[in-house]
Amino acid sequence: MSGAHSNRLALLLTAFCLTVAPGFAQSKEFNETVPLQPGGTVSLKAYKGTVHISAWDRPEISIFARITMDADEDPAYAERVVQATRVEVRRRGNGVAIRSDYDDVPSRGGWFYQSRSLAYIHYEIHTPRQVDLRLEDYKSEIEVYELEGSLEIETYRGTLFASGLSGSVKLETYKGKAELQALRGSLDIETYKGDVVAEALQIDGSSRLDTYKGQIQLAVPANQGLTLVGEMGRRGSLTSDFEMVNPQVEEDSSRRRSRQLDSQINQGGPRLEISSHKGEIRIKRL
């Protein structure tokens, strides 16, 4: 084979490879850092991807995002979707609002049927340790570390791992899974057909556990005092490693048995409101 022919063949193969697998054309990155003083507010609306939020000792927030598509998506359409997907960042006083923006993502199909595929957005966020966080998510894998403040997380069919959170922690899940470790402060956990495991080093404020056809497990130190109130449905269950004083059982007019809780652990302490309908709640000793 002549050298010229070999060179032409190499060029054709290169062009073929670029056409079939256009490298990183189906992904792009976003990177922005803006001022944020400790005690500020961060809100994030995420959809289908990953979210990693951790604390650092700087008066600013760093937002890095990588936007990708499924590998089996049509390359031409995937590139259009990626290019149309954006990360919106807005400053509001001492606060930052972040949103996964799919408003301009194109549809595909014909006259009778059209559909859209949405890209994955993978967030890596560093924020001051003292912050009020509001996170709304759909089907993402979430990790949150070492934040202090008012923290609210709502996820639909997503997963959450959090560690070292302090303050007021509120979690709402729908058919998702969550694991919370080394928490300090107050807890407000509500799940619908989800599983939540929480480990609290200290509960020092009024808290709540509410489940419908789900499971919540709360582990607390052996010396943690709690005052339990609330109601367990007929098919709800409550178990505890601690001795509970005087849990009551009543029968309502419709003949469905319910347990009206008015009990104490370790001679009482912060109020813990418990409610379960066809779900399971367990209180464990660390």
Side-chain angles (χ1 to χ4, degrees):
M1 183 181 295
S2 68
H5 184 71
S6 298
N7 290 337
R8 285 195 298 272
L9 179 58
L11 289 173
L12 287 173
L13 288 174
T14 300
F16 175 79
C17 291
L18 289 174
T19 302
V20 174
F24 295 98
Q26 295 176 42
S27 69
K28 70 177 183 180
E29 295 181 348
F30 172 92
N31 199 351
E32 185 172 344
T33 300
V34 297
L36 182 68
Q37 294 296 321
T41 300
V42 174
S43 67
L44 170 61
K45 293 185 177 181
Y47 179 94
K48 202 176 69 168
T50 60
V51 177
H52 185 286
I53 303 175
S54 58
W56 65 2
D57 297 321
R58 301 183 188 178
E60 58 188 14
I61 180 172
S62 169
I63 306 150
F64 173 82
R66 184 167 56 89
I67 302 171
T68 66
M69 284 291 288
D70 282 324
D72 57 356
E73 187 62 77
D74 173 71
Y77 178 70
E79 185 171 1
R80 292 171 61 203
V81 171
V82 167
Q83 295 306 315
T85 302
R86 296 178 176 83
V87 174
E88 178 186 88
V89 178
R90 293 185 178 180
R91 295 186 60 188
R92 299 172 180 173
N94 190 31
V96 176
I98 309 163
R99 182 175 73 97
S100 298
D101 183 356
Y102 298 99
D103 294 349
D104 295 332
V105 171
S107 300
R108 59 181 171 181
W111 288 97
F112 301 103
Y113 177 79
Q114 289 191 341
S115 65
R116 293 198 312 169
S117 292
L118 300 184
Y120 296 94
I121 302 183
H122 305 282
Y123 286 99
E124 182 78 26
I125 298 174
H126 294 89
T127 181
R129 189 175 310 276
Q130 296 177 335
V131 69
D132 290 339
L133 173 68
R134 306 290 182 269
L135 171 56
E136 297 179 29
D137 168 68
Y138 178 87
K139 286 188 175 181
S140 293
E141 298 177 7
I142 306 167
E143 296 182 15
V144 183
Y145 297 96
E146 304 296 334
L147 299 186
E148 301 175 3
S150 174
L151 313 172
E152 297 183 11
I153 300 175
E154 180 180 345
T155 177
Y156 178 90
R157 292 181 181 267
T159 63
L160 167 68
F161 177 83
S163 179
L165 306 186
S166 298
S168 171
V169 179
K170 182 176 182 180
L171 169 64
E172 183 175 343
T173 73
Y174 177 90
K175 292 185 178 180
K177 293 185 178 181
E179 181 179 353
L180 312 175
Q181 293 184 354
L183 306 180
R184 296 180 182 274
S186 63
L187 301 174
D188 187 343
I189 298 175
E190 181 177 348
T191 182
Y192 176 86
K193 294 185 178 180
D195 296 324
V196 179
V197 176
E199 175 191 284
L201 300 179
Q202 180 182 11
I203 295 180
D204 57 15
S206 295
S207 299
R208 184 176 73 105
L209 306 177
D210 189 347
T211 176
Y212 179 87
K213 292 186 179 180
Q215 297 180 341
I216 299 176
Q217 177 178 291
L218 173 63
V220 296
N223 63 352
Q224 173 74 60
L226 292 170
T227 298
L228 275 59
V229 296
E231 179 178 349
M232 301 296 296
R234 181 171 62 91
R235 296 184 182 180
S237 68
L238 170 65
T239 59
S240 174
D241 291 351
F242 298 86
E243 180 182 358
M244 295 190 299
V245 179
N246 192 33
Q248 301 177 16
V249 179
E250 297 181 359
E251 186 172 345
D252 62 24
S253 58
S254 61
R255 296 183 179 179
R256 293 179 299 178
R257 293 176 64 82
S258 61
R259 284 171 290 174
Q260 306 296 323
L261 297 177
D262 185 1
S263 182
Q264 293 182 344
I265 290 176
N266 288 333
Q267 299 181 341
R271 175 187 174 99
L272 177 60
E273 183 178 344
I274 290 179
S275 177
S276 176
H277 181 71
K278 298 183 181 180
E280 300 178 12
I281 293 177
R282 181 179 182 186
I283 301 176
K284 293 188 63 179
R285 182 184 290 110
L286 283 175

